[in-house]
């Protein structure tokens, strides 16, 4: 992500994903505008820095909430905040200028989430990721994977995200709430190891040939 990518892209006939929309939607806050109005639950979310007070955040998001770095990946900048010390640690470790997406914690989905691998709006693979000892369900952090059946609601979500973004491929993360699916985020540079091993598909090949 930077000048090297720009130089390489100018030498190609096509980029997957196009670099301009890749950069825009790499930001998790920008992703929220895509799902506004879609038939999917979205956790209460707000943008801010760790300079915000615990009281103001917990008043809007509840006594536990999630802080996500706007461009982090593999769960490295995702934290579960449960008290004022958690906000203070964010500020001490990352400074008070770094932007975060603060989100409502969907407790019933703790340690598990769906990953939909969408190629131009078609779900090529769908898996559930489950962790026994972490509220995050990232394969990079040791979560196990298995296939998950695709229904009409998930297919419609993938199609509408493609229609709004025109991204060639995305990894869409969906949380499992008591009252249905919750949109979590989508990944414009998702890893393929977990989804390929669970689905026994060559997803990279499908991306290039679809």
């Amino acid at each position: 992500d930077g000048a090297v990518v720009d130089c390489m892209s100018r030498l190609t006939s096509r980029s997957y994903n196009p670099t301009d929309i890749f950069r825009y939607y790499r930001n998790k806050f920008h992703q929220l505008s895509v799902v506004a109005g879609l038939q999917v639950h979205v956790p209460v979310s707000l943008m801010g820095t760790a300079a915000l007070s615990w009281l103001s955040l917990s008043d809007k998001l509840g006594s536990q909430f999630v802080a996500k770095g706007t461009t982090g990946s593999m769960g490295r900048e995702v934290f579960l905040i449960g008290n004022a010390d958690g906000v203070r640690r964010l500020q001490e470790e990352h400074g008070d200028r770094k932007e975060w997406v603060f989100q409502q914690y969907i407790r019933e989905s703790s340690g598990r989430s769906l990953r939909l691998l969408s190629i131009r709006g078609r779900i090529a693979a769908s898996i559930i990721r489950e962790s026994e000892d972490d509220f995050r369900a990232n394969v990079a952090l040791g979560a196990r994977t298995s296939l998950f059946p695709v229904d009409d609601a998930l297919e419609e979500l993938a199609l509408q995200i493609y229609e709004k973004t025109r991204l060639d491929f995305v990894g869409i993360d969906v949380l499992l709430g008591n009252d249905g699916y919750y949109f979590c985020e989508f990944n414009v540079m998702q890893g393929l190891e977990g989804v390929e091993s669970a689905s026994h598909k060559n997803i990279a090949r499908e991306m290039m040939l679809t």
Side-chain angles (χ1 to χ4, degrees), residues 134-206:
D134 199 321
F135 82 98
R136 298 165 296 182
N138 296 81
V139 173
L141 298 178
R144 64 183 185 274
T145 63
S146 58
L147 294 178
F148 189 88
V150 176
D151 59 22
D152 291 345
L154 295 175
E155 288 181 342
E156 183 66 16
L157 176 63
L159 178 60
Q160 291 188 341
I161 287 176
Y162 171 65
E163 289 175 341
K164 288 196 171 188
T165 66
R166 311 312 290 184
L167 288 161
D168 293 309
F169 62 93
V170 291
I172 305 168
D173 292 346
V174 178
L175 304 177
L176 301 165
N178 288 334
D179 51 351
Y181 297 127
Y182 276 76
F183 171 80
C184 179
E185 63 186 48
F186 57 79
N187 298 268
V188 295
M189 55 177 186
Q190 75 285 343
L192 299 179
E193 180 180 0
V195 71
E196 286 192 332
S197 62
S199 65
H200 304 291
K201 290 184 177 182
N202 186 336
I203 300 297
R205 182 175 185 274
E206 288 193 34

Side-chain angles (χ1 to χ4, degrees), residues 14-46:
R14 176 169 186 156
S15 296
Y16 304 79
N17 290 304
T19 53
D20 53 344
I21 55 177
F22 162 86
R23 284 199 176 93
Y24 183 79
Y25 287 116
R26 189 180 176 197
N27 188 296
K28 292 178 173 59
F29 187 73
H30 292 161
Q31 295 174 13
L32 293 172
S33 65
V34 173
V35 294
L38 301 188
Q39 295 300 309
V40 64
H41 298 297
V42 180
V44 178
S45 307
L46 60 89

Side-chain angles (χ1 to χ4, degrees), residues 24 88 98 105 123 126 143 180 183:
Y24 183 79
R88 190 175 302 114
K98 179 176 175 59
Y105 178 43
I123 297 178
S126 172
F183 171 80

Side-chain angles (χ1 to χ4, degrees), residues 31-115:
Q31 295 174 13
L32 293 172
S33 65
V34 173
V35 294
L38 301 188
Q39 295 300 309
V40 64
H41 298 297
V42 180
V44 178
S45 307
L46 60 89
M47 180 79 150
T49 73
L52 290 171
S53 71
W54 155 256
L55 287 177
S56 66
L57 289 167
S58 60
D59 180 61
K60 296 178 177 64
L61 304 174
S63 59
Q64 279 189 306
F65 54 86
V66 176
K68 300 194 298 189
T70 56
T71 59
S73 61
M74 295 186 288
R76 286 188 295 246
E77 288 189 352
V78 181
F79 304 97
L80 183 60
I81 307 295
N83 51 43
D85 287 340
V87 178
R88 190 175 302 114
R89 281 195 298 273
L90 280 184
Q91 191 172 29
E92 291 173 352
E93 295 175 12
H94 301 277
D96 59 5
R97 293 190 177 185
K98 179 176 175 59
E99 293 180 329
W100 301 88
V101 175
F102 297 101
Q103 279 191 330
Q104 172 191 7
Y105 178 43
I106 309 302
R107 187 171 284 101
E108 56 269 27
S109 195
S110 180
R112 63 192 188 122
S113 68
L114 306 183
R115 165 61 63 87

